[in-house]
Amino acid sequence: EEELIHMFKGIPFTTRSSPELLKSLETFHAREDDLLLVSYPKSGTHWLAGVITKLYSTQVTLTSPIEFGDLSKLEELNKLSSKRIIPTHLDYNMLPPNFKKKKCKMIYIARNPKDTAVSMYHYYRDNPNLPTVDTWTAFFDLFLKGDVVCGSWFDHFLSWEEHENDKNILFLFYEEMKKDLPKTVKEIVLFLGLNISDSDIQDICKKSSFSQMKSDTEKENSDPSHTVCTLTSNRKLIFRKGTVGDWKNHFTPKQNQRFEEIFNEKMKLSKMAKNLTFEF
Ligand code: A3P
């Protein structure tokens, strides 16, 4: 079981991210027109990727995450001639410096960490690439300690939030997408400098609903391990519930209190913390 995880620069990665690849990212060659889709796992990465790929009328390629695979990954990405849409769960500090230097556009999607924790718990249970967790109680502790793949949710979010004013980075929130997807899609369209009619936006939103994406994925017969998330072994596992507030069905009052204490402490300087804790 221990072989499923290895540490790199203090962060737990699955063995599906080879240490050689992680090391070589330091010198990765970015292109000006690369678009990065950034997230902590279980924040709505597939949803965002589903929306984005529907926005382009020109040829684009949604790649697997930059940190996923071995050294052959670099050549694979190099060979692509079309615009690359590259997902990643890396925190800001570990992002290949070349993306920063070239001011590539990046979209960061965040989700209430309580729901992220619940989603990740179910994912750990269903996914053979991840260590076994026996109970929600045990997972809850691991999550708060940052002892899960991709490390601490707090460190991840804060490393990116530090760059909230960078013009090339757009921040999105899962809860806002649930509340008003067309509004978020319009923000994305503006950020990417695209030109898309309102009726096309409506159509894209319809095609990106949870139920539509779930049934599309069940019907498709392409390789289910081709994915935008390093943890995924089977894309069909992604579409579990897709709601806001499922944490209420898992957290005990005591766990909630502990979570809030830690959240308030870690996020005390965060301006965006309030965007994550919507109540509906
Ligand atoms: P749940 O486990 O709470 O259902 P990621 O893509 O980053 O792995 O995130 C997965 C989470 O996003 C899952 O949450 C999944 O159900 C949810 N999700 C995926 N597609 C969605 C959609 N179209 N609308 C709402 N939620 C979606």
Side-chain angles (χ1 to χ4, degrees), residues 26-81:
E26 191 72 36
T27 54
F28 181 81
H29 286 286
R31 299 179 190 160
E32 250 114 65
D33 72 336
D34 284 338
L35 171 61
L36 287 176
L37 304 184
V38 190
S39 62
Y40 187 84
K42 314 318 292 174
S43 304
T45 323
H46 289 79
W47 190 12
L48 176 64
V51 169
I52 302 264
T53 48
K54 293 180 186 73
L55 298 177
Y56 288 92
S57 48
T58 52
Q59 175 78 38
V60 295
T61 306
L62 177 64
T63 73
S64 60
I66 190 164
E67 68 275 23
F68 181 76
D70 55 27
L71 276 180
S72 66
K73 181 56 169 281
L74 299 173
E75 204 184 323
E76 185 192 314
L77 290 181
N78 251 324
K79 275 199 304 221
L80 294 170
S81 54

Side-chain angles (χ1 to χ4, degrees), residues 42-47 111 119 174 208 238-242:
K42 314 318 292 174
S43 304
T45 323
H46 289 79
W47 190 12
R111 184 183 191 184
S119 180
Y174 182 96
S208 308
I238 293 294
F239 304 93
R240 186 185 66 92
K241 207 165 172 184

Side-chain angles (χ1 to χ4, degrees), residues 116-134:
T116 305
V118 167
S119 180
M120 204 175 190
Y121 165 65
H122 288 284
Y123 208 58
Y124 259 71
R125 301 201 39 126
D126 296 339
N127 191 323
N129 295 319
L130 296 173
T132 324
V133 284
D134 293 325

Side-chain angles (χ1 to χ4, degrees), residues 104-218:
C104 295
K105 286 189 179 168
M106 310 177 190
I107 303 182
Y108 186 94
I109 179 165
R111 184 183 191 184
N112 183 338
K114 292 181 188 175
D115 282 336
T116 305
V118 167
S119 180
M120 204 175 190
Y121 165 65
H122 288 284
Y123 208 58
Y124 259 71
R125 301 201 39 126
D126 296 339
N127 191 323
N129 295 319
L130 296 173
T132 324
V133 284
D134 293 325
T135 60
W136 160 245
T137 311
F139 185 79
F140 178 84
D141 289 336
L142 292 175
F143 186 87
L144 278 182
K145 274 192 283 187
D147 208 354
V148 291
V149 271
C150 298
S152 155
W153 179 90
F154 299 99
D155 293 349
H156 196 278
F157 182 79
L158 292 170
S159 80
W160 281 93
E161 185 182 17
E162 235 179 88
H163 301 275
E164 72 159 330
N165 292 323
D166 292 11
K167 295 234 168 357
N168 58 322
I169 308 182
L170 176 69
F171 283 89
L172 298 178
F173 296 91
Y174 182 96
E175 292 74 16
E176 284 179 358
M177 283 171 69
K178 283 295 288 190
K179 199 167 117 192
D180 191 345
L181 186 57
K183 182 167 168 249
T184 299
V185 174
K186 281 175 199 162
E187 266 177 65
I188 298 172
V189 166
L190 197 68
F191 174 72
L192 295 177
L194 300 171
N195 194 354
I196 300 177
S197 72
D198 280 357
S199 76
D200 283 348
I201 288 180
Q202 290 301 336
D203 189 50
I204 288 163
C205 290
K206 230 187 337 305
K207 291 186 179 131
S208 308
S209 71
F210 178 80
S211 55
Q212 192 61 52
M213 285 188 71
K214 186 182 167 80
S215 76
D216 287 350
T217 304
E218 277 157 8

